Amino acid sequence: MKEPLQENTLLYYMQWYIDSKKDLICHSTYKRYKVFFRLMERFEGFICQSVHIEDMDSDFIRDFMIFGKQEEYSENTIYRTIHFIKTILNFVERKGIRTCVRELELRREKQKKEVVTLTEKEIIKIQKTNVPEELQAAKDWLLISCYTGQRFSDFIRFSTQQIHIIEGKTCLSFAQQKTKKEIFLPLHPKVLHIIKRNKNRFPKIMDIQHYNRSIKEIAKLAHLNESLKSRKRIGYRSREVQTEKWEALSSHIGRRSFATNFYGKIPTPLLMEATGHSTEQMFLRYINPVNKDRILSLSNYFDTIDEGRTVFQ
């Protein structure tokens, strides 16, 4: 049996906070909080002592960052954990206990983040790729995700019972699992075609592990072999590795691809209505800044303008 946590320690209040929020947050958020908790347990093992609330100052932040870098945690994990710790200290202050939370100011340099997406051409390539019967459902879900922009936890629960017809347009009504937002989404013709081909049903449901394995196999069959850098989780850590594109696919690829491929073609507020993002800043995190189709389109405009000048000179 595990020993009870010592009072007035950071872990004690972290556990208290997590327990108080358990019924108010979604499961993925709860899991993320537990990751922060376990990371702090490992930090205490690293320094061979418990961290008390009165010890929480700028020196603690420095030591924690040294620990994170030595243990090769990603910078994102380190900063997100510190941000959560500040949340805990604010929670402690509301209990009437004074902390040094206002001293824990951090300046983080903007990091260049690789956002892996599927281009429209790659999506069409996947659509045209013949796959074994056991991969067909995953292929259909991948295409559905690329044309609806939803998280796995939402699109995998799509049902024809959620379909409504509005002035001849087929729409889907559902509440997002993570945000609880009510979404009313007009369905893309490609999604309607998949439903029709599946005898007016959505594909069969699968778990996320099965889905992630399957879409990698599908992308490999489609020869998405472009070399790129992506983050890969190795144990508790996430590291940047050079890999082929098919290996970098995961359940979020469709949501990111939807945001990237339709950005600039459809008004951003309408796209945000579809994805459920509250702010444009959050939405833009999903956009791949290196969109080859937009770059080529801009280049074609340059060529056309330059040709026009040559004619009139």
Side-chain angles (χ1 to χ4, degrees), residues 215-258:
I215 62 175
K216 285 179 172 63
E217 291 182 49
I218 293 162
K220 189 175 184 181
L221 289 171
H223 303 293
L224 302 190
N225 301 325
E226 177 190 349
S227 181
L228 49 76
K229 287 181 180 179
S230 70
R231 299 206 70 84
K232 185 174 182 181
R233 185 165 292 281
I234 302 171
Y236 291 113
R237 297 158 182 78
S238 177
R239 295 179 182 173
E240 193 174 75
V241 295
Q242 195 74 28
T243 186
E244 292 187 349
K245 189 163 190 174
W246 65 267
E247 293 181 280
L249 265 64
S250 67
S251 60
H252 234 49
I253 190 77
R255 187 165 167 83
R256 292 194 180 106
S257 301
F258 174 89

Coordinates of all heavy atoms in Angstrom, one line a residue, residues 215-258:
I215 N -3.8 3.5 -40.1 CA -3.6 4.6 -41.0 C -2.2 4.7 -41.4 O -1.9 5.2 -42.5 CB -4.2 6.0 -40.4 CG1 -3.4 6.4 -39.2 CG2 -5.7 5.9 -40.2 CD1 -3.9 7.8 -38.7
K216 N -1.3 4.3 -40.6 CA 0.1 4.3 -41.0 C 0.3 3.3 -42.1 O 1.0 3.5 -43.1 CB 1.0 3.9 -39.8 CG 1.2 5.0 -38.8 CD 2.1 4.5 -37.6 CE 2.5 5.6 -36.7 NZ 1.4 6.3 -36.0
E217 N -0.3 2.1 -42.0 CA -0.2 1.1 -43.1 C -0.8 1.6 -44.4 O -0.3 1.4 -45.5 CB -0.9 -0.2 -42.6 CG -0.3 -1.0 -41.5 CD -1.0 -2.2 -41.2 OE1 -1.3 -3.0 -42.1 OE2 -1.3 -2.5 -40.0
I218 N -2.0 2.3 -44.2 CA -2.6 2.8 -45.4 C -1.8 3.9 -46.1 O -1.6 3.9 -47.3 CB -4.0 3.5 -45.0 CG1 -4.9 2.4 -44.5 CG2 -4.6 4.3 -46.2 CD1 -6.1 2.9 -43.7
A219 N -1.2 4.8 -45.3 CA -0.3 5.8 -45.9 C 0.9 5.2 -46.6 O 1.5 5.7 -47.6 CB 0.1 6.8 -44.8
K220 N 1.4 4.1 -46.0 CA 2.6 3.4 -46.6 C 2.2 2.8 -47.9 O 2.9 2.9 -48.9 CB 3.1 2.3 -45.6 CG 4.4 1.7 -46.0 CD 4.9 0.7 -45.0 CE 6.2 0.1 -45.3 NZ 6.7 -0.8 -44.3
L221 N 1.0 2.2 -48.0 CA 0.5 1.6 -49.2 C 0.3 2.7 -50.3 O 0.4 2.5 -51.5 CB -0.8 0.9 -49.0 CG -0.7 -0.4 -48.2 CD1 -2.1 -0.9 -47.9 CD2 0.0 -1.5 -49.0
A222 N 0.0 3.9 -49.8 CA -0.2 5.1 -50.7 C 1.1 5.7 -51.1 O 1.1 6.7 -51.8 CB -1.1 6.1 -50.1
H223 N 2.2 5.2 -50.6 CA 3.6 5.7 -50.9 C 3.8 7.1 -50.5 O 4.4 7.9 -51.2 CB 3.9 5.5 -52.4 CG 3.8 4.1 -52.9 ND1 4.6 3.1 -52.5 CD2 2.8 3.6 -53.8 CE1 4.2 2.0 -53.1 NE2 3.1 2.2 -53.9
L224 N 3.4 7.4 -49.3 CA 3.7 8.7 -48.7 C 5.0 8.6 -48.0 O 5.1 8.5 -46.8 CB 2.6 9.2 -47.7 CG 1.1 9.2 -48.3 CD1 0.2 9.9 -47.3 CD2 1.1 10.0 -49.6
N225 N 6.1 8.7 -48.8 CA 7.4 8.4 -48.4 C 8.3 9.6 -48.2 O 9.5 9.5 -48.0 CB 8.1 7.5 -49.4 CG 7.4 6.2 -49.5 OD1 6.8 5.6 -48.6 ND2 7.4 5.6 -50.7
E226 N 7.7 10.8 -48.3 CA 8.5 12.0 -48.1 C 9.2 12.0 -46.7 O 8.6 11.7 -45.7 CB 7.5 13.2 -48.1 CG 8.2 14.6 -47.9 CD 7.2 15.7 -47.7 OE1 6.0 15.5 -48.0 OE2 7.6 16.8 -47.3
S227 N 10.5 12.4 -46.8 CA 11.3 12.5 -45.5 C 11.0 13.8 -44.8 O 11.0 14.8 -45.4 CB 12.7 12.4 -45.9 OG 13.5 12.4 -44.7
L228 N 10.7 13.6 -43.5 CA 10.4 14.8 -42.7 C 10.8 14.6 -41.2 O 11.1 13.5 -40.8 CB 9.0 15.2 -42.8 CG 7.9 14.1 -42.5 CD1 7.7 13.8 -41.1 CD2 6.6 14.6 -43.1
K229 N 10.9 15.7 -40.5 CA 11.2 15.6 -39.0 C 9.8 15.6 -38.3 O 8.9 16.3 -38.5 CB 12.0 16.8 -38.5 CG 13.4 16.7 -39.0 CD 14.2 17.9 -38.5 CE 15.7 17.9 -38.9 NZ 16.4 19.1 -38.4
S230 N 9.7 14.7 -37.3 CA 8.5 14.6 -36.5 C 8.9 14.2 -35.1 O 10.0 13.6 -34.9 CB 7.5 13.7 -37.1 OG 7.9 12.3 -36.9
R231 N 8.0 14.4 -34.1 CA 8.3 14.1 -32.7 C 7.7 12.7 -32.5 O 6.6 12.4 -32.9 CB 7.7 15.1 -31.8 CG 8.3 16.5 -31.9 CD 8.2 17.3 -30.7 NE 9.1 16.8 -29.6 CZ 10.3 17.1 -29.5 NH1 10.9 17.9 -30.4 NH2 11.1 16.6 -28.5
K232 N 8.6 11.8 -31.9 CA 8.2 10.4 -31.6 C 8.3 10.2 -30.1 O 9.4 10.5 -29.6 CB 9.0 9.5 -32.4 CG 8.6 8.0 -32.3 CD 9.4 7.1 -33.3 CE 8.9 5.7 -33.2 NZ 9.7 4.8 -34.1
R233 N 7.3 9.6 -29.5 CA 7.3 9.3 -28.1 C 8.1 8.0 -27.9 O 7.9 7.0 -28.5 CB 5.9 9.1 -27.5 CG 5.9 8.9 -26.0 CD 4.6 9.1 -25.4 NE 4.1 10.5 -25.5 CZ 4.5 11.5 -24.7 NH1 5.3 11.2 -23.7 NH2 4.1 12.7 -24.8
I234 N 9.2 8.1 -27.1 CA 10.0 7.0 -26.7 C 10.0 6.9 -25.2 O 10.6 7.7 -24.5 CB 11.5 7.2 -27.2 CG1 11.5 7.3 -28.7 CG2 12.3 6.0 -26.8 CD1 12.8 7.7 -29.3
G235 N 9.2 5.9 -24.7 CA 9.0 5.8 -23.2 C 8.2 7.0 -22.8 O 7.1 7.4 -23.3
Y236 N 8.7 7.8 -21.8 CA 8.1 9.0 -21.3 C 8.4 10.2 -22.0 O 7.9 11.3 -21.8 CB 8.4 9.2 -19.8 CG 7.9 8.2 -18.8 CD1 8.7 7.3 -18.2 CD2 6.5 8.1 -18.6 CE1 8.2 6.4 -17.3 CE2 6.0 7.2 -17.7 CZ 6.9 6.3 -17.1 OH 6.4 5.4 -16.2
R237 N 9.3 10.1 -23.0 CA 9.9 11.3 -23.6 C 9.5 11.4 -25.1 O 9.2 10.4 -25.7 CB 11.4 11.3 -23.5 CG 11.9 11.3 -22.1 CD 13.3 10.8 -21.9 NE 13.7 10.8 -20.5 CZ 13.4 9.9 -19.6 NH1 12.5 9.0 -20.0 NH2 13.8 10.0 -18.4
S238 N 9.5 12.6 -25.6 CA 9.2 12.8 -27.0 C 10.4 13.4 -27.6 O 11.0 14.4 -27.2 CB 8.0 13.8 -27.1 OG 7.7 14.1 -28.4
R239 N 10.9 12.8 -28.7 CA 12.1 13.2 -29.4 C 11.8 13.5 -30.9 O 11.0 12.9 -31.5 CB 13.2 12.2 -29.2 CG 13.6 11.9 -27.8 CD 14.7 10.9 -27.7 NE 15.1 10.6 -26.3 CZ 15.9 9.6 -25.9 NH1 16.4 8.8 -26.8 NH2 16.2 9.5 -24.6
E240 N 12.6 14.4 -31.4 CA 12.5 14.7 -32.8 C 13.4 13.7 -33.6 O 14.6 13.6 -33.3 CB 13.0 16.2 -33.1 CG 12.6 16.7 -34.5 CD 12.9 18.1 -34.7 OE1 14.1 18.4 -34.8 OE2 12.0 19.0 -34.6
V241 N 12.7 13.1 -34.6 CA 13.5 12.1 -35.4 C 13.2 12.3 -36.9 O 12.2 12.9 -37.2 CB 13.0 10.7 -35.0 CG1 13.4 10.3 -33.6 CG2 11.5 10.4 -35.2
Q242 N 14.1 11.9 -37.7 CA 13.9 11.9 -39.2 C 13.1 10.7 -39.6 O 13.5 9.6 -39.2 CB 15.2 12.0 -39.9 CG 15.1 12.4 -41.3 CD 14.8 13.9 -41.5 OE1 15.2 14.7 -40.7 NE2 14.2 14.3 -42.6
T243 N 12.1 10.8 -40.3 CA 11.2 9.7 -40.6 C 10.5 9.9 -41.9 O 10.6 11.0 -42.5 CB 10.2 9.5 -39.5 OG1 9.5 8.3 -39.7 CG2 9.2 10.6 -39.4
E244 N 9.9 8.9 -42.4 CA 9.0 9.0 -43.6 C 7.6 9.4 -43.2 O 7.2 9.1 -42.1 CB 9.0 7.7 -44.4 CG 10.3 7.3 -45.0 CD 10.3 6.1 -46.0 OE1 9.2 5.4 -46.0 OE2 11.3 5.9 -46.7
K245 N 6.9 10.1 -44.1 CA 5.7 10.7 -43.7 C 4.7 9.7 -43.2 O 3.9 10.0 -42.2 CB 5.1 11.5 -44.9 CG 3.9 12.3 -44.5 CD 3.6 13.4 -45.5 CE 2.6 14.4 -45.0 NZ 2.3 15.5 -45.9
W246 N 4.6 8.5 -43.8 CA 3.6 7.6 -43.4 C 3.7 7.2 -41.9 O 2.7 6.9 -41.2 CB 3.6 6.3 -44.3 CG 4.9 5.5 -44.2 CD1 6.0 5.6 -45.0 CD2 5.1 4.5 -43.3 NE1 6.9 4.7 -44.6 CE2 6.4 4.0 -43.6 CE3 4.5 3.9 -42.2 CZ2 7.1 2.9 -42.9 CZ3 5.0 2.8 -41.5 CH2 6.3 2.4 -41.8
E247 N 5.0 7.2 -41.4 CA 5.2 6.8 -40.0 C 4.8 7.9 -39.0 O 4.6 7.7 -37.9 CB 6.7 6.6 -39.8 CG 7.3 5.4 -40.5 CD 8.8 5.2 -40.3 OE1 9.6 5.9 -40.9 OE2 9.1 4.3 -39.4
A248 N 4.6 9.2 -39.5 CA 4.3 10.3 -38.7 C 2.7 10.5 -38.5 O 2.3 11.3 -37.8 CB 4.9 11.6 -39.2
L249 N 1.9 9.7 -39.2 CA 0.5 9.8 -39.1 C 0.0 9.4 -37.8 O 0.4 8.3 -37.3 CB -0.2 9.1 -40.2 CG -0.6 9.9 -41.5 CD1 0.7 10.3 -42.2 CD2 -1.4 9.0 -42.5
S250 N -1.0 10.1 -37.2 CA -1.6 9.7 -36.0 C -3.1 10.2 -36.1 O -3.5 10.9 -37.1 CB -0.9 10.3 -34.8 OG -1.1 11.7 -34.7
S251 N -3.8 10.0 -35.1 CA -5.3 10.3 -35.1 C -5.6 11.7 -35.3 O -6.7 12.0 -35.8 CB -6.0 9.8 -33.8 OG -5.4 10.5 -32.7
H252 N -4.7 12.7 -35.1 CA -5.0 14.1 -35.2 C -4.7 14.6 -36.6 O -4.9 15.8 -36.9 CB -4.1 14.9 -34.2 CG -5.0 15.8 -33.3 ND1 -6.1 15.4 -32.7 CD2 -4.8 17.1 -33.0 CE1 -6.6 16.4 -32.0 NE2 -5.8 17.5 -32.2
I253 N -4.2 13.7 -37.5 CA -3.7 14.2 -38.8 C -4.9 14.8 -39.6 O -4.8 15.7 -40.3 CB -3.0 13.0 -39.6 CG1 -2.4 13.5 -40.9 CG2 -4.0 11.9 -39.9 CD1 -1.1 14.3 -40.6
G254 N -6.1 14.2 -39.5 CA -7.2 14.6 -40.3 C -7.7 16.0 -39.8 O -8.0 16.9 -40.7
R255 N -7.7 16.3 -38.5 CA -8.1 17.6 -38.0 C -7.1 18.7 -38.5 O -7.6 19.7 -38.9 CB -8.2 17.5 -36.5 CG -8.7 18.7 -35.8 CD -9.0 18.4 -34.3 NE -9.3 19.6 -33.5 CZ -10.5 20.2 -33.4 NH1 -11.5 19.8 -34.2 NH2 -10.6 21.2 -32.6
R256 N -5.8 18.4 -38.4 CA -4.8 19.4 -38.8 C -4.9 19.6 -40.4 O -4.8 20.7 -40.8 CB -3.4 18.9 -38.5 CG -3.2 18.9 -37.0 CD -1.7 18.7 -36.7 NE -1.4 18.7 -35.3 CZ -1.1 17.6 -34.6 NH1 -1.0 16.5 -35.2 NH2 -0.9 17.7 -33.3
S257 N -5.2 18.5 -41.1 CA -5.2 18.6 -42.6 C -6.4 19.4 -43.0 O -6.4 20.3 -43.9 CB -5.3 17.2 -43.2 OG -4.1 16.5 -42.8
F258 N -7.6 19.2 -42.3 CA -8.8 20.0 -42.6 C -8.5 21.5 -42.4 O -8.8 22.3 -43.3 CB -9.9 19.5 -41.6 CG -11.2 20.3 -41.7 CD1 -12.2 20.0 -42.6 CD2 -11.4 21.4 -40.9 CE1 -13.4 20.7 -42.7 CE2 -12.6 22.1 -41.0 CZ -13.6 21.8 -41.9

